[in-house]
Amino acid sequence: MSDLQGSSGAVGAGRTTAAPDVLNSDPDKILGVPVWVFAAVVGLLCMLLMMTPLCIWLRRMANLSKNYVPSEQPDVDGFVREVVLKAEACGTLNVSRIGRT
């Protein structure tokens, strides 16, 4: 029991882990690729992140600037009749300005 005093209680208490070597980092590489390749990829990603919303916005503005031309003539008279009949049926028409004239 005296062998294990001062240790973490692991098997082989007399042995220690070897000191790690100094990390050998190459100043010309980032994440294992050359610096210029890494910079080009980061630059392309940034440009893509900025251009995508711009293109979506431009497409939306172009779509909104087009005139709406329906394929067939809308039936406005039928719509007005339907609205007036519903308003008359529920009593709204009698209390409105239109009903007083």
Side-chain angles (χ1 to χ4, degrees):
M1 194 61 127
S2 65
D3 302 359
L4 298 176
Q5 286 180 337
S7 71
S8 64
V11 178
R15 290 181 258 159
T16 61
T17 305
D21 292 333
V22 176
L23 293 175
N24 294 330
S25 61
D26 190 5
D28 296 332
K29 293 193 180 234
I30 297 175
L31 299 174
V33 295
V35 173
W36 68 271
V37 173
F38 183 78
V41 169
V42 169
L44 287 173
L45 284 175
C46 288
M47 188 166 53
L48 183 69
L49 287 173
M50 286 186 271
M51 293 301 292
T52 302
L54 177 66
C55 290
I56 291 171
W57 182 78
L58 287 172
R59 184 177 62 186
R60 176 177 160 76
M61 290 298 116
N63 191 23
L64 290 175
S65 67
K66 291 180 188 174
N67 290 332
Y68 175 68
V69 180
S71 58
E72 58 186 48
Q73 184 72 21
D75 183 21
V76 177
D77 293 333
F79 172 73
V80 171
R81 278 192 204 101
E82 180 184 347
V83 170
V84 169
L85 287 175
K86 285 184 179 180
E88 189 177 30
C90 70
T92 308
L93 189 60
N94 298 333
V95 295
S96 68
R97 281 190 298 158
I98 296 174
R100 284 185 251 149
T101 59

